[in-house]
């Protein structure tokens, strides 16, 4: 058993209640501008921005602090092309055979299709993997707890950091996603979680008209 080691909570900052309220409101006002974007510009983005966003993502809480995430940042056009080809192959199967009518109807307002040009246009594809178990340097395995929840939280922080930096993202879930392990050379303990497409929006980018549920619809105070 490792003996617990504690430090003072030196990083915490309390704000006066009025400022706290203002901060919460200001954060909401900013994050509510975030939209999932499917039309990307090929304008370059400095890698430092992505590095900072990934460091932010990796501050997420995780089960037993196992940090069960791994990120592969793809910029190489040849690798992007391979990813696009594999993704579109799966999507063709999805749209023409696998998807139920109900699923296709749910997707209709988003006007998605099997064509994924953004996989080559956007400057960054961030493949996010869940480590279902960890691998110790000596080759033994270590159990991961709440791995999916942990990676979901890290991904949320990553998306928030990308928005905060002034970029846009698409949470893309190719189906199936296993090809990402092969193309990116990731081991069997890792499962693809999401492919995050990141960059500037295209000048003529449009987004579907959507409505967000109200506070009354999503929460009760008891
Ligand atoms: N993977 C497909 C289908 C798709 C599924 C869901 I759920 C979406 O919210 C959007 C699309 C595609 O990306 O086209």
């Amino acid at each position: 058993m490792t003996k617990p080691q504690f430090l003072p909570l030196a990083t915490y900052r309390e704000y006066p209640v009025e400022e706290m309220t203002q901060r919460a409101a200001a954060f909401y006002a900013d994050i509510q501008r975030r939209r999932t974007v499917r039309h990307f510009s090929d304008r370059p983005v400095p890698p430092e921005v992505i590095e900072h966003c990934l460091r932010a993502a990796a501050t997420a809480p995780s089960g037993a602090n196992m940090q069960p995430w791994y990120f592969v940042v793809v910029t190489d056009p040849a690798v992007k092309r391979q990813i696009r080809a594999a993704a579109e192959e799966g999507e063709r199967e999805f749209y023409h055979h696998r998807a139920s009518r109900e699923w296709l109807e749910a997707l209709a307002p988003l006007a998605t299709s099997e064509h994924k040009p953004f996989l080559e246009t956007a400057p960054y594809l961030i493949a996010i993997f869940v480590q279902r178990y960890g691998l110790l340097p000596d080759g033994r395995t270590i159990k991961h707890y709440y791995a999916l929840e942990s990676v979901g939280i890290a991904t949320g922080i990553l998306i928030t950091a990308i928005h905060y930096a002034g970029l846009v993202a698409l949470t893309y879930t190719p189906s199936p996603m296993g090809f990402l392990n092969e193309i990116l050379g990731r081991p069997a303990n890792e499962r693809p979680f999401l492919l995050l497409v990141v960059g500037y929006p295209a000048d003529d980018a449009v987004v579907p008209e959507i409505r967000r549920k109200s506070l009354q619809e999503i929460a009760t105070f008891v």
Side-chain angles (χ1 to χ4, degrees):
M1 274 304 204
T2 319
K3 198 165 137 267
Q5 296 275 337
F6 286 92
L7 298 169
L9 175 60
T11 54
Y12 174 73
R13 239 189 255 168
E14 179 175 325
Y15 301 101
V17 167
E18 207 167 292
E19 190 180 345
M20 183 191 277
T21 308
Q22 192 274 327
R23 287 175 64 91
F27 184 77
Y28 168 58
D30 190 69
I31 199 69
Q32 66 82 26
R33 294 188 302 103
R34 188 205 61 80
R35 290 298 310 263
T36 291
V37 169
R38 289 186 170 79
H39 309 120
F40 285 84
S41 158
D42 62 1
R43 265 169 79 195
V45 169
E48 302 81 64
V49 175
I50 303 303
E51 289 168 11
H52 284 306
C53 292
L54 289 171
R55 287 191 188 99
T59 67
S62 63
N65 191 37
M66 291 294 175
Q67 305 172 57
W69 39 68
Y70 196 83
F71 303 91
V72 180
V73 182
V74 180
T75 56
D76 183 336
V79 179
K80 287 186 197 167
R81 201 174 317 123
Q82 269 184 288
I83 290 176
R84 178 181 178 182
E88 288 184 336
E89 189 185 319
E91 299 291 11
R92 272 194 297 277
E93 182 63 22
F94 172 81
Y95 281 97
H96 298 293
H97 304 289
R98 248 182 331 107
S100 63
R101 173 151 310 187
E102 187 183 15
W103 196 342
L104 291 176
E105 267 168 29
L107 293 179
L110 306 180
T112 54
S113 78
E114 69 226 56
H115 305 293
K116 305 297 177 190
F118 51 75
L119 295 174
E120 289 191 78
T121 319
Y124 292 97
L125 307 179
I126 307 179
I128 306 172
F129 291 86
V130 186
Q131 296 176 331
R132 297 175 57 258
Y133 53 91
L135 293 174
L136 297 171
D138 65 4
R140 280 182 306 146
T141 64
I142 183 167
K143 222 170 141 46
H144 280 171
Y145 306 93
Y146 299 98
L148 277 171
E149 290 84 347
S150 305
V151 177
I153 297 166
T155 300
I157 296 177
L158 180 57
I159 292 167
T160 307
I162 287 164
H163 170 76
Y164 190 77
L167 296 171
V168 295
L170 166 64
T171 43
Y172 176 45
T173 48
S175 155
M177 284 204 269
F179 66 83
L180 289 170
N181 284 73
E182 276 120 68
I183 295 177
L184 302 174
R186 298 312 301 165
N189 64 315
E190 294 183 5
R191 284 278 162 88
F193 180 72
L194 196 81
L195 190 60
L196 202 66
V197 185
V198 181
Y200 288 100
D203 290 334
D204 58 355
V206 292
V207 290
E209 195 178 345
I210 55 160
R211 185 190 80 88
R212 289 195 171 116
K213 290 183 181 176
S214 68
L215 181 60
Q216 286 68 33
E217 289 171 282
I218 63 154
T220 45
F221 289 66
V222 293

